[in-house]
Amino acid sequence: MKRNGDYDDDYDNDNDGGEKPPSILTSNFFMDQVGEIVLTLKPDGLSWKLMESLSNEDGSSCWGIRQTNTSIKISDVYAVDFIDWGFVHQNPHTNAPGCLFDHHLSEMYRFRVHYIHKSKAQPSLWTSITHTFGHDNKQTCQLWVTRINTFLRFQTNRPKSLLVFVHPRSGKSNGCRIWNNVAPLFSKAKVKTKVVVTERAGHAFDAMNSIANRELNSYDGVVAVGGDGLFNEILNGILLSRHNAPYPPVPPDHGQTVNSCNEIVDPGPTITMAEPLASGEDESPLLSTSLESQVAIPNPDPEVSFPNERFRFGLIPSGSTDAIVMCTTGARDPVTSALQIILGERLRLDIAQVVRWKTSKTSKDEPCARYTASFAGYGFYGDVITESEKYRWMGPKRYDYAGTKVFLKHRSYDAEVSYIKVEQEKTNMRANWRKVKALWGLSKEPERVLCRAKCDVCNTNQTSDTHQESKLTRVRGRFLSIGAAVISCRNEKAPDGFVADAHLSDGFLDLILIKDCPRAFYLWHLTQLARKGGTPLNFDFVEHHKTTTFTFTSFGEESVWNVDGEILVAHKLSAQVFRGLISLFASGPET
């Protein structure tokens, strides 16, 4: 074994810290629990193999551990550190036949490489693995740490600074414990984190709604350690103050017409938005600012707006359902989410804007806007969230209890829904995928094109949608429930989600209209929803439409919507989807 900082001639001692790193670096090391190896570093990764003198004929090490040539991609490495003098191996089989280690070789200078591993059985599940390498020359270890860190700096997509909100009481009140478990991963990766433990409902919303551009620009993203509700707070806190887009059309009243462009024409006064309303009970009035009153001064701190290529959102699950994490990573696992954040994974996510125009038939309200990343539901879904508020002391079980009570009441509601019906041409790409899968027998249900990592549907150029045709369709009747899913909303209660083939960034809402039907039929629908591989949409009383915009008008006395687990009282409501409005620290589900 070489002893004196051995490395390739490809390394230039007089590199002077230039940008071009060495192409290849090779040294002999002792690898913890393996033996003496030849370790090679290239720009794309590390690789090693056992020294022939330390391997038996069957290819196993002196401890009986079978080894083959092994490698780690630099893109999978999230940290490397020098840990000074200490033991590299302590194994009871040190004196096994053919083993050449002496006791003094087990203490040396060491460095560790931390990287991610994907389970073969569950590819969406990521774990952290650490390998320790030892050498009796300190400078050699330090050189390797420096070189690996140089290559890691070329991974420019990774965050360097994050704002983290921890919900201490989300789910089963495990928020702080879960953050304490994953925080060392961020420390090892040298990702700076400013941690805020929320103290009340709306804390995260208020913080993000009022944060200055200068501070927001200092972070590469914001992370929620909690459930979908905390994520929704952060999302609304940012977008309500920084997403400048016109509201969707107002639901029609008597006397309104639809013009040739399928736009609803309101003969009444035009409503303009200067700054959207804050969500929640403490709603603020609309703010209007005169351009003449603004002083034109240079702004060295650029405003943060969306869509935004740099700024990303992260979510480490500790909630009751964690549907967003299930859909965007494929695993309800805090370590997986933390590692995907650290490695700078990126995917686009559709966001829906929901606007309440009226709280009752006769009220004259200012419009109230909310954003949702997962689901907005009326009827059954609104009743369940309203009923569950009475039993918050029960924790996540309150949803099962409330759902049972609401199901037994079996209430239906008189309402009208108008939606932009997408013609077949706009879904040609999706239809083609179905035909291909059916032709090759790849699926018993070829109509489902599930969203996966590097999804072809989501990655289709958005400009391909610009010449498609659409028309406005109205449906009036009695409904048990109305749902609008941005994503599939997979969770433990609905393993395939509300809509199994909903996509993360295809620019569509999945509108689900459940018409009034016998209680037994509705139970059948709910049973299919709770089954893996179920078919909850294959009923005559269920309508499923892909749309970009819809409006809702209630004709009853009560009208409650469930928007990402929050109550929204709305007799008139409209919604529109923005394709890929935000970016997430996530890779997409592998399965």
Side-chain angles (χ1 to χ4, degrees), residues 441-509:
L442 298 178
S443 173
K444 295 181 179 179
E445 296 181 354
E447 72 278 5
R448 292 186 176 184
V449 181
L450 302 183
C451 193
R452 302 181 185 276
K454 300 178 182 178
C455 177
D456 291 300
V457 174
C458 295
N459 291 331
T460 301
N461 193 328
Q462 297 187 27
T463 58
S464 63
D465 293 338
T466 57
H467 302 293
Q468 306 301 334
E469 297 181 0
S470 60
K471 64 180 181 180
L472 186 66
T473 302
R474 295 184 182 182
V475 180
R476 168 76 186 270
R478 296 197 67 84
F479 301 95
L480 290 172
S481 65
I482 297 171
V486 185
I487 57 179
S488 65
C489 301
R490 292 171 52 195
N491 58 75
E492 291 182 350
K493 302 296 183 183
D496 290 336
F498 291 106
V499 183
D501 61 349
H503 284 260
L504 298 174
S505 183
D506 64 349
F508 291 107
L509 288 171

Side-chain angles (χ1 to χ4, degrees), residues 561-581:
W561 279 75
N562 175 351
V563 181
D564 274 358
E566 298 295 327
I567 294 174
L568 181 66
V569 178
H571 267 256
K572 281 186 176 293
L573 176 144
S574 56
Q576 62 182 331
V577 66
F578 295 94
R579 187 176 186 185
L581 181 60

Side-chain angles (χ1 to χ4, degrees), residues 167-348:
H167 190 331
R169 292 179 296 280
S170 64
K172 298 180 180 179
S173 300
N174 290 329
C176 292
R177 179 183 62 82
I178 286 175
W179 171 247
N180 289 335
N181 288 342
V182 300
L185 297 174
F186 290 88
S187 298
K188 289 176 184 175
K190 297 181 175 61
V191 179
K192 297 179 181 178
T193 57
K194 178 182 177 180
V195 181
V196 178
V197 179
T198 59
E199 299 175 353
R200 54 178 173 80
H203 185 166
F205 171 85
D206 292 339
M208 297 312 300
N209 194 45
S210 61
I211 191 171
N213 287 326
R214 182 179 301 278
E215 181 179 357
L216 195 60
N217 279 317
S218 70
Y219 303 114
D220 297 303
V222 58
V223 175
V225 183
D228 296 338
L230 179 62
F231 184 85
N232 181 269
E233 272 194 39
I234 294 171
L235 180 74
N236 277 273
I238 290 182
L239 293 184
L240 284 175
S241 58
R242 288 179 166 84
H243 180 227
N244 299 317
Y247 281 162
V250 186
D253 283 323
H254 294 295
Q256 289 183 325
T257 59
V258 179
N259 64 18
S260 60
C261 297
N262 297 320
E263 297 172 341
I264 297 175
V265 180
D266 187 349
T270 302
I271 298 176
T272 58
M273 176 186 66
E275 184 172 328
L277 288 171
S279 64
E281 296 181 358
D282 298 327
E283 296 172 357
S284 303
L286 288 174
L287 302 177
S288 59
T289 304
S290 171
L291 294 177
E292 289 78 12
S293 66
Q294 296 178 359
V295 180
I297 58 174
N299 182 15
D301 190 25
E303 183 178 350
V304 180
S305 61
F306 291 87
N308 192 299
E309 289 294 329
R310 183 189 70 85
F311 193 88
R312 279 166 282 178
F313 295 76
L315 179 54
I316 297 175
S318 68
S320 300
T321 56
D322 298 314
I324 297 174
V325 161
M326 288 286 291
C327 293
T328 57
T329 69
R332 193 182 181 186
D333 177 60
V335 171
T336 297
S337 294
L339 291 173
Q340 293 194 3
I341 294 169
I342 290 168
L343 290 188
E345 295 291 328
R346 180 193 299 273
L347 64 78
R348 288 297 195 95

Side-chain angles (χ1 to χ4, degrees), residues 25 34 36 60 101 109 132 154 161 238 240 242 303 308 323 347 350 361 382 387 394 428 437 462 476 520 547 559:
L25 190 62
V34 174
E36 189 173 1
S60 61
F101 285 123
Y109 296 102
T132 303
F154 280 81
S161 180
I238 290 182
L240 284 175
R242 288 179 166 84
E303 183 178 350
N308 192 299
L347 64 78
D350 291 344
K361 289 181 180 180
E387 186 71 21
M394 295 178 66
N428 270 347
K437 294 189 74 176
Q462 297 187 27
R476 168 76 186 270
T547 186
S559 186

Side-chain angles (χ1 to χ4, degrees), residues 420-435:
I420 300 297
K421 185 176 182 180
V422 179
E423 296 296 333
Q424 185 63 35
E425 289 80 8
K426 193 165 185 179
T427 55
N428 270 347
M429 184 205 45
R430 180 170 297 181
N432 290 337
W433 274 102
R434 294 171 181 168
K435 292 177 182 177

Side-chain angles (χ1 to χ4, degrees), residues 102-133:
D102 294 326
H103 179 70
H104 72 279
L105 292 178
S106 64
E107 289 190 88
M108 56 190 69
Y109 296 102
R110 302 159 298 160
F111 72 91
R112 298 179 300 189
V113 176
H114 309 273
Y115 68 101
I116 65 103
H117 172 73
K118 298 179 182 179
S119 168
K120 291 182 179 179
Q122 296 177 287
S124 290
L125 196 64
W126 292 19
T127 55
S128 172
I129 293 181
T130 300
H131 284 321
T132 303
F133 302 93

